[in-house]
Amino acid sequence: MKNRLKVLRAERDWTQADLANKLDVSRQTINSIEKDKYDPSLPLAFKIARLFQQSIESIFLDNEA
Amino acid sequence: MNKLSASTSEKTKGMKSSIFVASTFIWIGMMIFIDKGILYGWFASDMQINLLIAFDTILGIVVIFMFMSLLKSMDELQRKIQFDALAFSMGTTFVASITYSLLTTAQIVRDSETSDLILIMTFCYMASVIYGQVKYR
């Protein structure tokens, strides 16, 4: 699943570690999501959406859509 | 979550991890001590041996709960790496134990040792954790 996490993070001038701290996950998790190696759970996806004040579907893009 | 609470959470996780590793080493060390002690007759009575085995078993159970607590303190990706490793090591050990059992029945392997299976399980678990850490670097 593609996502816009890296772009959204860069717009706010946050490092991966900053975002990891805000979401209470490891930097490794942020890096893996940004590189499309790992799809986050629904609760984490909601947390990300809340943090960036956007809808989940505007951050995470369905490959099959 | 702010940086202070995130760093506190990291410290708690680090502490849990250290306690888990330390207690695992104590448990294994004690297991080896009891095993060698029985073999070389270091203990004065059967009662002493029984007490030590009971203590070591309780320590082993504590290690299990510590590992579960450590898993709970991990984030979802780290937990996935651990679960993948546990599934891989359990599956491999299951297949290896059946193969080992068949080889023993066929008398191709004569001196079957449970410790061989524990070694396989440990190796598979560690290899899988390292693979997961590299994959999701």
Side-chain angles (χ1 to χ4, degrees):
Chain A
M1 190 164 55
K2 298 272 177 206
N3 67 77
R4 296 174 49 238
L5 202 60
K6 192 173 183 177
V7 175
L8 292 168
R9 180 175 61 78
E11 280 172 1
R12 283 152 185 84
D13 208 18
W14 291 342
T15 63
Q16 285 186 342
D18 292 336
L19 183 56
N21 282 335
K22 288 175 197 297
L23 295 169
D24 194 23
V25 294
S26 62
R27 194 202 56 76
Q28 187 185 21
T29 302
I30 299 299
N31 189 48
S32 297
I33 296 171
E34 283 187 1
K35 289 187 171 171
D36 301 328
K37 286 182 184 173
Y38 174 69
D39 293 333
S41 67
L42 202 50
L44 181 56
F46 271 113
K47 215 170 173 181
I48 292 168
R50 262 199 308 275
L51 182 68
F52 290 112
Q53 294 180 315
Q54 297 198 14
S55 62
I56 288 181
E57 56 269 34
S58 70
I59 300 175
F60 297 97
L61 315 166
D62 186 3
N63 286 343
E64 292 173 20
Chain B
M1 174 166 281
N2 61 31
K3 274 189 180 178
L4 187 67
S5 56
S7 106
T8 309
S9 156
E10 280 300 307
K11 273 183 189 168
T12 310
K13 201 190 305 171
M15 203 169 72
K16 276 186 180 178
S17 179
S18 304
I19 293 171
F20 169 70
V21 171
S23 56
T24 305
F25 273 106
I26 292 169
W27 172 58
I28 293 170
M30 195 163 171
M31 196 168 59
I32 293 168
F33 171 73
I34 295 169
D35 186 55
K36 297 295 169 201
I38 293 169
L39 199 67
Y40 297 114
W42 294 342
F43 307 118
S45 66
D46 284 351
M47 175 64 97
Q48 203 177 1
I49 295 169
N50 290 342
L51 282 174
L52 280 170
I53 291 174
F55 182 73
D56 193 52
T57 306
I58 292 166
L59 197 60
I61 293 166
V62 170
V63 169
I64 293 170
F65 282 102
M66 278 183 172
F67 184 62
M68 285 164 70
S69 166
L70 183 65
L71 280 179
K72 279 180 192 162
S73 72
M74 290 176 174
D75 81 356
E76 55 182 62
L77 177 62
Q78 293 163 336
R79 219 175 290 154
K80 176 185 162 42
I81 292 170
Q82 292 293 327
F83 284 146
D84 285 351
L86 288 169
F88 178 66
S89 61
M90 195 191 80
T92 311
T93 310
F94 188 68
V95 172
S97 61
I98 289 172
T99 307
Y100 208 42
S101 168
L102 288 173
L103 288 171
T104 310
T105 308
Q107 294 188 330
I108 295 167
V109 172
R110 289 184 194 278
D111 300 318
S112 56
E113 290 277 345
T114 315
S115 57
D116 294 346
L117 294 173
I118 294 169
L119 271 178
I120 290 172
M121 187 181 246
T122 308
F123 176 77
C124 289
Y125 173 73
M126 287 178 75
S128 186
V129 167
I130 291 167
Y131 171 76
Q133 294 290 354
V134 171
K135 185 181 174 188
Y136 298 110
R137 201 162 30 183

